[in-house]
Amino acid sequence: MDKERNVWLMTQQRMENAMDTLGLKPGIKKYLREPRKTIEVSVRVQMDDGEIDVFKGYRVQHNSDRGPAKGGLRFSPTVTLDDVKALAMLMSLKTAVVDIPFGGAKGGITVNPKELSVRELEALSRQYILELSPNIGIDTDIPAPDVGTNPQIMAWMTDAYSIQKGHFVPGIVTGKPLEVGGSQVRDEATSVGVVSTIISALKHMDMDDIEPRVAVQGFGNAGFHCARILHDMGFRIVAVSDTGGAIYNPEGINPKKARAHKLKSRSVCEFPKCRPIDPRELLEVDCDILIPAALENQIDEDNAPDIKARIIAEAANAPVTPEADKILDQRNIMVIPDLLCNAGGVTVSYFEWLQNRQSYYWSYREVSSKLKKIMERAFSEVYVMSQKRKVNMRNAASILAVKRVADAVSLKTTRSRCYL
Ligand code: NAD
């Protein structure tokens, strides 16, 4: 079984477990097990050498019963339909955990964007959104950036869609640059959300009177901003890593200086006054909070017994395997699950869409305060569910989310609520 297939099966299994716990009726289970709509497109682009090339593109809308489908677009040479289906299903659950009125979707093109010229990338992005245009819309399905896409690509897509409609439609995608209808806080939204869940977890674990030591795996958008915000709040960042290597300093690392060093030398390793360590060792360093902010499947049954942190905050999607989850549970380590922990990004996407619809834009302070309120409420609801059901935070988040989606399906279809 290849890895992509595994991700889809693992995600389906997660959904299945939550549906079983809730005792959902067979028809609702059947409906939620598969996406509502799957679109495959052939995207035609004239390359710089004058030849035509064709790229495979996907958009999967898993569910739209709580609101328009919402989710990012991934440009990657390894992206498959199974990947996109899994990520779309996770988006339905993520939007439900933070209780924003969206369903779940995801899209992708099998392409290595680094191998395209800027002109080719622009042509591909514009053509892809035009191919999708009969199936997306501000009330139907709203794409956003994901791996391999960025605000510039969102600006091209907004423009192509708007030209086709004959008027500016900023709400068609989120994650746009500020100049074309983007929102304040969008850049660091995921990390602001991650930090909010960490603060809530520290309170629940009676750890709010210590000076927490933090290790961060991955120093990109999510990892850097988490380290920066926590450092500014007085937390001690003891280890960080990127694809170039990992560094450790028990006295603390200044994330902004480490970032400046990375921009000059392409990696955080060799940052002064730090000891280089093996990247896998980063996960096991002596710290209170571990933030995996890079890839999936980083904490497995091999290293879970050696983790020292008492809280793991999943900034990345699926960094902990199901086998590792069991070990971490037995060791009383709190895992703040991805569905909750990194939902700040889609929450600010929701704010961006709201601002676009109203043509009225909020200040940085307004956006971050609304975001924190939603994240605090979501953490508390997941925590209460975990206590009520006597399950870990991951299962609690899945149960809460699936119940919200299933209730919406059930009320619309049969006029009856699914009872807990
Ligand atoms: P990014 O590309 O900006 O950064 C990824 C970082 O991880 C880079 O610093 C890279 O060097 C590092 N990295 C890659 N492989 C590594 C390895 N084996 N060991 C250590 N470091 C490694 O990506 P991002 O946007 O920060 O996303 C990171 C994770 O967070 C992904 O799982 C993504 O799905 C998730 N996430 C991000 C957002 C967001 O808004 N950025 C939202 C939700 C979830």
Side-chain angles (χ1 to χ4, degrees), residues 139-404:
D139 292 315
T140 324
D141 179 0
I142 307 121
D146 191 68
V147 176
T149 54
N150 56 35
Q152 171 63 75
I153 291 176
M154 297 304 115
W156 290 329
M157 290 184 172
T158 306
D159 189 49
Y161 186 86
S162 299
I163 291 169
Q164 192 198 47
K165 296 289 164 194
H167 59 98
F168 183 35
V169 192
I172 185 57
V173 299
T174 58
K176 300 178 293 294
L178 275 176
E179 296 81 350
V180 287
S183 176
Q184 297 288 344
V185 192
R186 184 60 190 83
D187 265 2
E188 61 270 46
T190 299
S191 307
V192 173
V194 171
V195 169
S196 164
T197 63
I198 289 173
I199 303 299
S200 299
L202 286 170
K203 283 186 196 142
H204 284 289
M205 306 266 295
D206 286 329
M207 287 168 66
D208 46 350
D209 56 347
I210 61 165
E211 183 206 341
R213 295 156 307 151
V214 185
V216 185
Q217 184 198 39
F219 210 55
N221 180 293
F224 164 68
H225 284 299
C226 282
R228 176 186 62 78
I229 299 167
L230 289 170
H231 178 263
D232 289 349
M233 291 169 73
F235 290 43
R236 203 176 341 150
I237 313 300
V238 293
V240 298
S241 69
D242 59 23
T243 37
I247 50 171
Y248 175 65
N249 181 350
E251 301 305 317
I253 296 167
N254 181 320
K256 284 184 206 150
K257 290 187 180 163
R259 167 80 150 192
H261 175 86
K262 181 179 163 78
L263 289 176
K264 267 192 267 158
S265 62
R266 308 189 114 212
S267 171
V268 288
C269 57
E270 294 177 14
F271 181 60
K273 296 187 190 155
C274 293
R275 178 161 67 81
I277 54 171
D278 186 88
R280 289 286 283 183
E281 200 187 327
L282 175 129
L283 301 165
E284 299 165 19
V285 296
D286 197 12
C287 67
D288 304 295
I289 300 161
L290 173 62
I291 307 179
L295 304 172
E296 63 280 358
N297 297 333
Q298 294 301 294
I299 300 172
D300 52 25
E301 69 264 51
D302 293 337
N303 57 12
D306 300 316
I307 302 249
K308 314 278 184 313
R310 289 186 58 203
I311 295 172
I312 298 176
E314 292 187 333
N317 284 313
V320 177
T321 66
E323 296 75 26
D325 254 338
K326 287 182 198 141
I327 298 169
L328 298 171
D329 263 358
Q330 283 160 4
R331 297 188 55 220
N332 269 334
I333 294 173
M334 182 191 271
V335 178
I336 310 171
D338 47 7
L339 283 187
L340 166 68
C341 191
N342 67 36
V346 71
T347 303
V348 172
S349 270
Y350 164 55
F351 295 158
E352 181 176 336
W353 176 79
L354 277 181
Q355 292 169 81
N356 293 153
R357 298 189 72 123
Q358 298 168 347
S359 292
Y360 178 75
Y361 290 84
W362 309 340
S363 67
Y364 189 97
R365 188 191 284 250
E366 279 173 292
V367 176
S368 61
S369 127
K370 286 179 204 294
L371 170 60
K372 280 180 200 154
K373 260 190 211 149
I374 287 189
M375 295 305 297
E376 281 166 16
R377 184 192 65 201
F379 185 97
S380 158
E381 287 175 342
V382 172
Y383 188 79
V384 166
M385 179 64 84
S386 80
Q387 299 294 300
K388 182 174 162 190
R389 291 263 171 190
K390 301 197 181 351
V391 294
N392 63 23
M393 291 286 281
R394 187 183 311 286
N395 291 338
S398 299
I399 293 168
L400 185 71
V402 172
K403 175 172 163 43
R404 284 179 176 156

Side-chain angles (χ1 to χ4, degrees), residues 66-135:
R66 301 181 58 261
K70 182 87 189 84
L73 297 173
R74 182 168 289 196
F75 286 6
S76 153
T78 59
V79 81
T80 65
L81 180 57
D82 268 354
D83 266 344
V84 180
K85 281 163 71 176
L87 292 163
M89 186 183 262
L90 284 177
M91 284 308 297
S92 296
L93 302 188
K94 203 175 282 188
T95 55
V97 166
V98 281
D99 206 7
I100 54 177
F102 280 145
K106 205 79 179 190
I109 303 182
T110 312
V111 61
N112 183 350
K114 290 185 184 153
E115 287 175 0
L116 301 186
S117 70
V118 174
R119 193 205 63 79
E120 289 167 341
L121 185 61
E122 177 177 351
L124 177 72
S125 306
R126 286 178 180 272
Q127 191 60 28
Y128 170 74
I129 209 75
L130 291 177
E131 292 287 356
L132 287 188
S133 66
N135 294 289

